[in-house]
Amino acid sequence: YVRDSSRGKKRQEDTLFERTTTALGTRHNTMRALPVILLVVVVVVAVFANGVDAGSLRRTDPTCKTVETVPDLDLSAYTKHPWYVAQQQVVRYQPLDAFYCVRAEYTLNDAGDEVEVFNSARNGGVDGDPTNAQGMRLQALVEDKDVSNSKLLVGPTFLPRFTYGPYWIVAVSPDTPDPELGYDWAIVSGGAPTRLTDQENGLCSTGSGMNDSGLWLFTREPIASAEVVELMRTTARELGFDVSVLKPVTQEGCEYPE
């Protein structure tokens, strides 16, 4: 009886040891996998935050024109000096109350296929808080250098490329940039216009979320003349964009980051 009891007790101890070892091993494996799990969660959240919105899920209306980007764009000339936004569309990451002192600075890499992006603006007024106080830089990648320099993908450097949003340069002036000054103005779209928003004239706009969204009128001068702005609006309209989505950006009285 004593021997049988001891054997039973030993079996219980062995079973408890095996369970404990298995639990510790599972916990160890879970801890090892935790960074991967967290990375997957971050990517999934980024995909839904950046890519899944009403604009990106909607099919292109057949009425919308096919918009081509600028052929033979000189990306070096394009990124040579800062751009100031004269008018732009409201999107999720740029609400109307941040339409003050909006500027974009670009730095092209030596290979000519990656651009560092530094965007700045202010909230509520020209003296408001900066929207990018941390000085965060984004990355713009040429989608296919062999095809065009005017189609890029933009997103945070810590996220994978497939989460990036389209950045299309659809018009510039002049056609041949000045060697020192580059282009005078540019029209940028967050991809193709897919939504018929002006049925009477058959004009379309992009979405208003994160990716596949936005329309911007860029000028080299902080305060563009009314004639230049009207020329850009006319150009965008001729390309098939509904320019009624454009809102003016205040640049007068602005101070910009160094």
Side-chain angles (χ1 to χ4, degrees):
Y1 177 81
V2 173
R3 283 199 300 270
D4 290 343
S5 176
S6 298
R7 289 174 182 174
K9 183 176 181 180
K10 187 176 187 306
R11 282 197 298 271
Q12 291 177 353
E13 291 174 348
D14 290 344
T15 301
L16 178 61
F17 176 77
E18 291 172 358
R19 289 177 179 175
T20 303
T21 303
T22 300
L24 289 173
T26 302
R27 182 179 179 185
H28 177 68
N29 290 334
T30 302
M31 293 300 292
R32 289 177 60 187
L34 187 58
V36 177
I37 294 171
L38 289 175
L39 178 60
V40 171
V41 170
V42 168
V43 170
V44 170
V45 170
V47 169
F48 277 85
N50 284 350
V52 179
D53 53 53
S56 60
L57 292 176
R58 187 180 288 105
R59 293 183 179 180
T60 302
D61 191 291
T63 309
C64 298
K65 287 184 179 181
T66 299
V67 175
E68 302 293 339
T69 58
V70 176
D72 303 319
L73 178 81
D74 185 337
L75 196 55
S76 177
Y78 182 82
T79 58
K80 187 179 290 289
H81 301 289
W83 287 108
Y84 300 87
V85 179
Q87 294 186 353
Q88 69 176 80
Q89 179 184 349
V90 174
V91 291
R92 185 183 302 169
Y93 56 92
Q94 286 185 311
L96 189 59
D97 62 358
F99 281 23
Y100 298 91
C101 311
V102 184
R103 185 178 71 163
E105 291 184 90
Y106 302 128
T107 304
L108 183 66
N109 71 347
D110 293 337
D113 57 0
E114 293 185 14
V115 180
E116 181 187 76
V117 180
F118 177 49
N119 294 324
S120 60
R122 291 189 179 273
N123 283 313
V126 296
D127 296 322
D129 293 332
T131 59
N132 187 11
Q134 296 78 19
M136 179 181 179
R137 264 65 173 175
L138 302 177
Q139 177 177 242
L141 307 175
V142 175
E143 192 170 334
D144 188 342
K145 191 176 180 181
D146 294 331
V147 176
S148 173
N149 274 342
S150 53
K151 280 188 177 182
L152 297 95
L153 298 168
V154 180
T157 56
F158 58 84
L159 291 180
R161 174 179 172 139
F162 72 85
T163 66
Y164 287 17
Y167 177 107
W168 289 11
I169 306 165
V170 298
V172 292
S173 180
D175 294 335
T176 302
D178 183 273
E180 294 298 325
L181 301 178
Y183 296 103
D184 293 336
W185 57 258
I187 300 174
V188 175
S189 174
T194 57
R195 306 187 306 163
L196 181 62
T197 49
D198 182 349
Q199 295 186 5
E200 182 178 351
N201 298 295
L203 299 173
C204 299
S205 65
T206 64
S208 57
M210 294 293 288
N211 289 348
D212 304 298
S213 302
L215 182 65
W216 295 264
L217 305 185
F218 283 2
T219 62
R220 290 297 191 196
E221 297 296 327
I223 302 175
S225 68
E227 291 77 16
V228 168
V229 172
E230 187 56 37
L231 175 59
M232 287 190 289
R233 288 177 64 92
T234 299
T235 303
R237 184 182 176 88
E238 290 173 348
L239 291 172
F241 288 96
D242 177 8
V243 296
S244 70
V245 302
L246 293 171
K247 307 297 180 185
V249 173
T250 299
Q251 299 287 358
E252 188 173 358
C254 290
E255 293 185 2
Y256 306 97
E258 294 293 335

